[in-house]
Amino acid sequence: MTTDGSGDRGAVGGTESGTQSAERVSFTDVRVDEEAVEAAVETLRSGRYVKGPRVETFESAFADATGVDHARAVSSGSAALALALRAVGVGEGDEVFLPGHTFFASAASVLDAGATPVFVDIDPETYTIDPDDLRAAVEASDAPAAVMPVHLYGQMADMHAVGAVADEYDLRVVEDAAQAHGADRDGLSVGDRGDAACFSFYPTKNLTVAGEGGMVVADDGAVADRVARLRDHGRDESGAHVVAALNHRMSEVSAAVGHAELDRLESITAGRRAAALAYDDGLADVDAVRTPVAAAGARHVYHLYVVRVPDRAAFRATLDDCGVDTAVHYETPAHRQPALPDGVGGRDLPETAAAVDEIVSLPMHADLSEAEVDRVCDAVREHYA
Ligand SMILES: Cc1ncc(COP(=O)(O)O)c(C=O)c1O
């Protein structure tokens, strides 16, 4: 299956037989480990399904793994972003700066918090927010409140440069780390520089709860407390509903699975990085293909392996004929989605516009074999022969 512009948002799941199709190189493989299955079954047998100990232990293990003081589990990555924005004080009348080149949830979370998204261009090498364009956008704003760098494809934004702009203009920083579990860059890991950082555990992500889920991490306990309140009907410790909020809690089964998968995050990351290295080698001599650039000092965790080609439709058709699935992340940038009213984000984003016409995501997951990478590279070579 070759997935279209919605990329990893389609129906996902392992094959019935538990093995990969012999013929096709599938885009992703979302199966969790046997230990996660056992943890889920044990939780189901326990009769404790919500508000139990597994969410709390997953949170503390996740905080430890991330090196941030507090973690709060929520129902999705989108919920993590929306609640984190509110928890750091973003609301009505505020402008939040974020890249147009992202999954729409980044922008939707800003709107959900009652604020206005202002879209910023990307660095064409890393596909992450361009700090110079961020500065230009902030300078032109009447109500600058926060920046949401998106660590797209598994590579962190330049958080030193983003942080410098945030300090200068007193912006809150909420990192969208939905695609970047375990990434770091220039001595900073995810969550180090932001007031909060938000992860997704959607099945295709580097770490999953085998369903929907997300996590907010923050060093400031007050931010974590506000997220905890906002995910739980706006209730405080006394049980009073002190703020209007919905239910965005994580279930115990999800937390048990996430915790088990967290134990093997390093090996998941190693598998993804090995596949990326094999692609880099295999495609190095194909001039028409621009392989991903990991910034010096970055540990890219390759949620996606995204190349750029001048003839995307024909390229994807050849790969499809050769039995290789591909996807596009994202064909239509957030600021061009029909949900946004005219005029919102009316800035010019030339690097984003150029990238979205050329990007193609090749198959990527932790268990992608060398033989599969070779098959993809052979198909690419055949296309340009
Ligand atoms: C960059 C980005 N932000 C936010 C999200 C939202 O996460 P979720 O699907 O868990 O709501 C995703 C996930 O698709 C994403 O890729």
Side-chain angles (χ1 to χ4, degrees), residues 8-9 76-79 81 102-103 105-106 150 152 176 178-179 200-202 205 212-213 330:
D8 61 351
R9 307 308 303 175
S76 69
S78 316
L81 289 166
T102 183
F103 182 57
S106 316
V150 180
L152 202 70
D176 182 341
Q179 304 186 357
S200 164
F201 302 129
Y202 182 77
K205 296 295 193 272
E212 306 284 358
Y330 301 92

Side-chain angles (χ1 to χ4, degrees), residues 201-221:
F201 302 129
Y202 182 77
T204 56
K205 296 295 193 272
N206 292 28
L207 179 64
T208 184
V209 296
E212 306 284 358
M215 189 76 82
V216 181
V217 299
D219 279 325
D220 184 348

Side-chain angles (χ1 to χ4, degrees), residues 216-306:
V216 181
V217 299
D219 279 325
D220 184 348
V223 169
D225 286 349
R226 284 196 285 274
V227 170
R229 188 171 294 178
L230 288 166
R231 76 178 168 186
D232 186 33
H233 306 286
R235 261 188 295 229
D236 71 7
E237 301 66 36
S238 74
H241 298 273
V242 291
V243 50
L246 302 177
N247 172 3
H248 285 296
R249 295 186 302 258
M250 177 181 281
S251 79
E252 284 283 283
V253 171
S254 299
V257 171
H259 196 171
E261 287 293 286
L262 180 63
D263 288 343
R264 66 181 194 107
L265 178 60
E266 273 308 310
S267 84
I268 290 170
T269 302
R272 287 176 176 272
R273 285 173 54 83
L277 201 63
Y279 274 135
D280 287 349
D281 284 349
L283 298 174
D285 59 350
V286 186
D287 289 344
V289 174
R290 270 168 70 183
T291 52
V293 176
R299 182 183 193 239
H300 196 318
V301 296
Y302 294 99
H303 171 57
L304 294 168
Y305 188 89
V306 176

